[in-house]
Amino acid sequence: MVAVQETVERVRRIDVDQYRYGFETLIESDKAPKGLSEDTVRFISAKKNEPAWMLEWRLEAYRRWLTMTEPTWARVDYPKIDYQDIYYYAAPKPKKTLSSIDEIDPEILKTYEKLGIPLREVAILEGVEPPPGGEQTPNRKIAVDAVFDSVSVATTFQKELKAAGVIFMPISEAIREHPELVQKYLGTVVPTSDNYFATLNSAVFSDGSFVYVPPGVRCPMELSTYFRINERNTGQFERTLIIADKGSYVSYLEGCTAPQRDENQLHAAVVELVTLDDAEIKYSTVQNWYPGNSEGKGGIYNFVTKRGDCRGRNSKISWTQVETGSAITWKYPSCILRGDNSSGEFYSIAISNGFQQVDSGTKMIHLGKNTSSRIISKGIAAGKSQNTYRGLVSAHRKATGARNYTACDSLLIGDKCGAHTVPYVEAKNSSATFEHEATTSKISEDVLFYCVQRGLSEQQATGLVVNGFAKDVLQKLPMEFAVEAQKLISISLEGSVG
Amino acid sequence: MALLEVRDLHVGIEGCEILRGLDLAVNAGEVHAIMGPNGSGKSTLSHVISGKPGYQVSAGQILFNGEDLLAMEASERATRGVFLAFQYPVEIPGATTMNFLRAALNAQRKARAQTEFSTPDFIKRVREVANSLNIPQGMLKRGLNVGFSGGEKKRNEILQMALLEPSLCILDEIDSGLDIDALRIVAGGINALRSSERAMIVISHYRRLLDYIVPDVIHVMSKGQIRKSGGKELALELEACGYAQFEDAA
């Protein structure tokens, strides 16, 4: 019942103060001067030893950003952000040049150990237990890229990946080592002009992960990036680019945490995915940024642009997200279904509690023929939080045979929270078939009493209901991540008996 | 000492008094039937004993094994051995019946400082009981009560009762919504659980149920009080004359 207990701590408890990852690592860091200007952009680019084309790309984005205004259409409410009051670059001060993981600052290693992220090359994530009565879990490997504030501090299993031809490295390195790939794909899914936060990211992004899977290769292990914001007053602007070449497959996982602080911190990431013919990317996120305290003070502003481009025929992109953290989440992982017969999926669990605000959903843009998409969204609102699903499904004039199925379910816990569903559907092609279902439910007194009468605590009862509600999406997570997600919202018993 | 002793119980809901000085004593090993017309307060009594929120107890006492039941949380009462088979069992989508059963059983065992069941032992135990109640294995893998027929829901209540092994079983309208075959199965399940350590309170307004579950004592309830108590012959009297004769008695 341990997981159930933890569920409760996440879900029911208004007292979000007990954020488990709220510690701070005391470490010397190397920061850019506070504020944003062309000089900041040049500083970051110089820190990364970037080629001239990259600097130009950034500067162009910066100049465009100056002409843009912050969007206000989302159902979220926050005081104006002072973009000159943020550090755009912070890196742990290296004691010397690193040649192996043993030379990483032990404080950082300790941080990741505390977070349960193995930077040493262990074969299996800690905490993964074989299901009781089930078969022994096969030892599956996960390669981890760890991003600490603005820089990547370690990437594991490099050699093994290299043998398979897979490139998995910090994007700052990829810019130097694989400029032809980066130049060919960077900004082609989320252009520098895309939106206010994406444009800001294009100007100041400091690190993130780069993945290239060559034609016909099935990536031999799960790839994972673990993002950690540590510095005070620092924004994190990571950039992830994943390319699955023809006939390849990769599963990528992303996790995020941050220390507990009184001020709000900005996280404006951009993720671009590209799948060529017959390729597939499965992208999973467990987002657990600091959500702010019980009075709604502090927490991360999670303003993220994630988009995948199914560029090739029969290609597939699948997004799965478990969103539990952040003061504000503004995030719409989307799929452009360009290739004929391509398909996109979006599976989401978004939990809001305390004063958290979530405005999240997806866009499925059907451009190619016979494209299909599937959206399963589970919103869980507790405390005084607001939880909005916002989604767009559109079929282009030429997208004959486009199909979409959308199911948006909301669960309310208590009577001071809100759940909202804002679906947009546009079909410019008469052969498109779009289905939309939505439900809203509450954990009723009767359900609670029934469970309590059987000897469960109210917390256990809530956990049971919530996990049952989110089950369809939890099952979509890769096994290794499901463990972490279960710790956040799930019940230990699901699937282990019966 | 009676297992359950209700003394001069006055209970209201939203300012309206429903139980008006109810007395009841049930010994271990006995099966009591409480009969009465709709609105007489039978379900309220079962809710108050099991700890459902929303009721105001203005006077009286409920003692269970000599302890003050009203001072305990509902889950603690369950752990001590009070079980209510619901008239309308709730549905919990996504939480399989099997997992629900296991969570409940282990929560109770843990609260009583007993060791939790191992998975194989638990599964074996559930299968045995499920078979005896004609509950197919497939039903256990579905969301709790989701898509269950009225009869399946009631059988599921008895399954839980059998697994949790309570010392006091309150069966609220366990016969409602059951066809005659389902009633036979449910009653068979209940009779199998009769024992010298366990008491049962069977609530119904149909005498038919008492053909299958033969009580030791029958109480007739009306307007929030027990108006008459007697042996099983009282059921026949009710059958012949209805409840009206008890309305103004006592």
Side-chain angles (χ1 to χ4, degrees), chain A residues 449-450 453-454 464 493 497, chain B residues 78 82 84 99 108 157 160:
Chain A
F449 176 60
Y450 187 89
Q453 210 299 307
R454 297 299 182 253
L464 205 71
L493 296 167
V497 291
Chain B
V82 175
L84 173 63
N99 284 333
Q108 292 207 12
E157 293 294 287
Q160 294 177 47

Side-chain angles (χ1 to χ4, degrees), chain A residues 360-379:
Chain A
S360 183
T362 184
K363 286 190 275 187
M364 293 292 175
I365 314 290
H366 293 257
L367 301 177
K369 292 182 176 59
N370 298 315
T371 48
S372 65
S373 61
R374 186 176 171 81
I375 299 170
I376 308 287
S377 165
K378 305 276 184 183

Side-chain angles (χ1 to χ4, degrees), chain B residues 18-33:
Chain B
I18 297 176
L19 298 184
R20 300 165 181 171
L22 186 134
D23 294 289
L24 176 69
V26 181
N27 294 310
E30 293 176 351
V31 173
H32 288 226

Side-chain angles (χ1 to χ4, degrees), chain B:
Chain B
M1 182 177 67
L3 178 72
L4 177 77
E5 200 168 350
V6 181
R7 290 183 192 155
D8 190 32
L9 189 66
H10 289 258
V11 174
I13 186 163
E14 288 162 6
C16 174
E17 190 169 54
I18 297 176
L19 298 184
R20 300 165 181 171
L22 186 134
D23 294 289
L24 176 69
V26 181
N27 294 310
E30 293 176 351
V31 173
H32 288 226
I34 296 183
M35 307 197 61
N38 291 325
S40 55
K42 306 187 298 292
S43 286
T44 297
L45 177 64
S46 71
H47 290 159
V48 173
I49 295 172
S50 53
K52 186 174 184 177
Y55 294 94
Q56 293 91 45
V57 177
S58 52
Q61 267 190 313
I62 304 179
L63 299 177
F64 182 65
N65 283 319
E67 288 185 281
D68 181 6
L69 204 59
L70 292 172
M72 296 177 205
E73 294 287 331
S75 63
E76 190 185 348
R77 299 184 201 190
T79 306
R80 302 278 186 115
V82 175
F83 180 92
L84 173 63
F86 285 70
Q87 184 176 3
Y88 304 109
V90 301
E91 300 181 4
I92 306 182
T96 64
T97 303
M98 200 67 148
N99 284 333
F100 178 80
L101 292 173
R102 193 164 121 138
L105 184 63
N106 282 338
Q108 292 207 12
R109 291 183 71 86
K110 204 175 163 191
R112 291 193 291 256
Q114 294 164 319
T115 53
E116 298 184 9
F117 263 104
S118 74
T119 304
D121 290 349
F122 170 75
I123 291 174
K124 196 168 158 241
R125 177 89 185 98
V126 174
R127 289 205 171 134
E128 276 169 19
V129 183
N131 284 339
S132 73
L133 289 165
N134 245 358
I135 293 174
Q137 297 300 315
M139 216 171 104
L140 301 173
K141 294 178 185 167
R142 277 154 50 194
L144 183 73
N145 290 325
V146 176
F148 285 23
S149 70
E152 285 173 331
K153 284 183 182 173
K154 293 299 170 79
R155 272 185 271 160
N156 195 11
E157 293 294 287
I158 306 306
L159 171 65
Q160 294 177 47
M161 190 165 105
L163 280 174
L164 297 173
E165 300 179 307
S167 50
L168 175 65
C169 307
I170 306 167
L171 301 140
D172 190 7
E173 309 268 1
I174 197 72
D175 52 335
S176 71
L178 293 188
D179 61 41
I180 201 76
D181 294 325
L183 181 59
R184 241 180 231 133
I185 294 168
V186 166
I190 294 168
N191 285 328
L193 291 171
R194 292 177 79 147
S195 89
S196 57
E197 273 108 59
R198 182 173 291 137
M200 294 190 188
I201 298 174
V202 181
I203 292 172
S204 180
H205 49 251
Y206 289 118
R207 196 200 56 85
R208 186 183 64 169
L209 178 65
L210 307 186
D211 292 340
Y212 297 91
I213 304 167
V214 181
D216 301 300
V217 184
I218 294 179
H219 306 278
V220 180
M221 196 167 161
S222 173
K223 294 184 179 167
Q225 286 183 345
I226 293 200
R227 303 286 173 171
K228 188 167 185 183
S229 303
K232 38 187 183 278
E233 67 287 347
L234 191 56
L236 297 171
E237 195 182 323
L238 276 174
E239 182 93 324
C241 313
Y243 291 118
Q245 58 170 322
F246 300 102
E247 302 265 306
D248 302 311

